[in-house]
């Protein structure tokens, strides 16, 4: 496999997007759980859902952007 293959770029983009989206989702989920006074263990569930949702969406979009960018040569 080539060192700079398109699949490697898309995978790396999705991984970075997932990491950044997960971090942002965790911060936002925590803020939202505290702000809306989510009770007890539902806070953990809410933070987890927000983290995973944000990571999935941001990873998808960054991976798609890497795929679109992969076809361009400069």
């Amino acid at each position: 496999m080539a060192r700079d293959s398109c699949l490697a770029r898309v995978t790396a983009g999705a991984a970075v997007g997932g990491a950044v989206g997960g971090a942002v989702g965790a911060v936002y989920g925590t803020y939202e759980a505290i702000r809306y006074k989510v009770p007890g263990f539902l806070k953990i569930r809410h933070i987890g859902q927000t983290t995973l949702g944000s990571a999935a969406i941001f990873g998808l979009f960054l991976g798609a952007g890497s795929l679109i960018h992969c076809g361009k040569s400069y």
Side-chain angles (χ1 to χ4, degrees):
M1 188 184 259
R3 197 179 103 188
D4 234 7
S5 72
C6 188
L7 181 62
R9 284 184 178 192
V10 171
T11 304
V16 170
V20 171
V24 170
V27 170
Y28 181 70
T30 303
Y31 165 74
E32 199 173 46
I34 292 171
R35 180 178 178 198
Y36 293 116
K37 297 181 174 95
V38 177
F41 282 114
L42 290 177
K43 280 182 186 163
I44 295 170
R45 182 178 178 186
H46 180 76
I47 293 168
Q49 285 178 340
T50 307
T51 301
L52 291 177
S54 178
I57 294 297
F58 202 74
L60 175 77
F61 282 122
L62 204 56
S66 298
L67 181 64
I68 290 170
H69 184 70
C70 187
K72 295 182 181 179
S73 60
Y74 295 104

